[in-house]
Each structure stands twice: as C-alpha cells, then as structure tokens.
Amino acid sequence: MKIVAIIGSAFGSKSRVAVNYTINKIKDVREDAEVEVIDFSEIQFPFADGREYLQHEGDVGTALKKIMDADGLIIGTPIFQAAMPGTLKNLFDMLPVNAFRNKVAGMIVTAGSEKHFLIPEQQIRPILSYMKANLVPNYVFITDQDIIRQEIKNPDIEFRLDRFVDDFFLLLDTYQTMIQKKEAEYDF
C-alpha cells in the first residue's frame, strides 16, 4: 500500500512536525504501508504550464509519478493569508483532473489562529473532490500554540492525529477491498 505525504509549503515547520508525527504513527500501526514524503522545502516545482505530468523530468517528474501511483495521500499544509499556499495549488494544477480517482486523501492543516479553521473546507476539500479523491471526513486543524520548538505540546492534537490515521486506513482499506472485488468481476 503506497502512501504519499505532501508537505504543502517550502516555509515553516509546523506542518512538517505534524506530518512527521503522522508518518511515525503509520509506521507503528501498519507494516504494509510504504510512505513517501514530498516536501516543498526539498523540491522546487516549476509553475504549472499545461504540460502533462509525465512530461516533467528529474525530482519533479518523480514526485508527480509517486502521487499518481499512490493509494492514499496525506496533505499537510499551513494556511497563509487565509488561503492555501500557492505551492500546493500549483501542484494540483500540474496533475490531471482525475489524478485522485480511487485514492483516499486526508488533510492535516496548521494555521496561526482558529480564524482559518474553514479554509480547508472552502479551498482544499473542493479541489480534492473535483480531482475525484475519496476524502477522510475529518481533518486535523492545528494552531501555533499546539506546536512549540518542533514538538507537539497539546495531547489533544496527538489524539486527533492518531484518530486521523485510524480513519484514513479504515477508508483506504474499505476502498481497496471494493476495488479488488470489482476488478475480480472482470473475465480478463
């Protein structure tokens, strides 16, 4: 089972801390999960220019192929100026419309204040739905006060991230079973 965790900004560290916690939890509970991380602080994506994702080469081409080959996606992103980072939207623009068909996607969102709580609902969720993702119903929203000095300080956040992993795999396992059952109906 292939999981890709996307850290949707080149700046900041709180999303990275939350995604790393989640990855470690996945490794603790699922031996069958192969987790890859795409971190915008390590790969500089060009602006989307209308090319098909397969036409990109190097690290960018490899990252796009990993996303397309994944069974599940974890989108970890900060909210800047009441919006998702341009880097994350640019990534979505580089992928085909049906890129997330038969994939499960979940969100882990960090922000400076609670005022940005609905940004994932209003901006990110509609894009993931449009691209045909099967969405984990609840996302984890984390504010600056929950992560201090690269460490999660709020036990409730750890609980919600743990629950997120459970929900993510419940949905992913269900869809994988349904897909395998449907494919078994074909004679070829």
Side-chain angles (χ1 to χ4, degrees):
M1 184 172 306
K2 295 180 183 177
I3 310 299
V4 172
I6 299 167
I7 300 173
S9 175
F11 302 103
S13 61
K14 290 180 173 52
S15 296
R16 197 166 286 101
V17 169
V19 168
N20 286 337
Y21 177 94
T22 305
I23 291 169
N24 289 333
K25 179 66 176 179
I26 290 170
K27 290 177 181 177
D28 286 345
V29 298
R30 293 297 293 248
E31 292 179 7
D32 63 334
E34 175 187 324
V35 183
E36 298 269 354
V37 178
I38 295 173
D39 188 338
F40 284 103
S41 70
E42 297 173 0
I43 302 172
Q44 186 170 356
F45 284 74
F47 285 112
D49 58 9
R51 281 185 279 171
E52 290 187 17
Y53 79 95
L54 290 170
Q55 293 176 319
H56 290 275
E57 298 176 352
D59 291 342
V60 171
T62 301
L64 294 173
K65 184 162 179 14
K66 285 178 184 176
I67 291 169
M68 293 299 293
D69 291 343
D71 299 306
L73 302 169
I74 296 171
I75 314 286
T77 185
I79 300 299
F80 295 139
Q81 305 297 347
M84 78 174 97
T87 50
L88 183 59
K89 177 61 169 89
N90 185 59
L91 172 67
F92 294 150
D93 291 343
M94 295 176 83
L95 294 167
V97 171
N98 295 328
F100 303 149
R101 182 177 304 281
N102 296 329
K103 295 179 189 348
V104 168
M107 298 181 286
I108 300 169
V109 180
T110 59
S113 79
E114 296 85 6
K115 293 177 183 175
H116 301 301
F117 182 78
L118 289 177
I119 300 300
E121 288 288 340
Q122 296 170 342
Q123 294 181 7
I124 304 170
R125 187 177 294 275
I127 293 169
L128 295 174
S129 293
Y130 176 77
M131 295 176 79
K132 311 298 186 277
N134 299 300
L135 296 166
V136 175
N138 298 315
Y139 60 92
V140 180
F141 186 83
I142 304 167
T143 61
D144 280 352
Q145 65 192 16
D146 297 320
I147 298 176
I148 300 169
R149 293 192 182 104
Q150 310 299 314
E151 190 176 331
I152 297 172
K153 294 295 186 181
N154 183 343
D156 184 54
I157 297 299
E158 291 177 342
F159 173 80
R160 287 191 278 150
L161 288 169
D162 292 349
R163 178 64 188 264
F164 171 84
V165 170
D166 292 342
D167 292 347
F168 181 85
F169 280 105
L170 176 64
L171 192 59
L172 183 56
D173 289 341
T174 301
Y175 276 105
Q176 291 290 310
T177 301
M178 290 170 58
I179 290 167
Q180 289 169 358
K181 196 174 184 180
K182 187 71 175 169
E183 288 179 356
E185 292 177 6
Y186 297 109
D187 291 340
F188 51 90

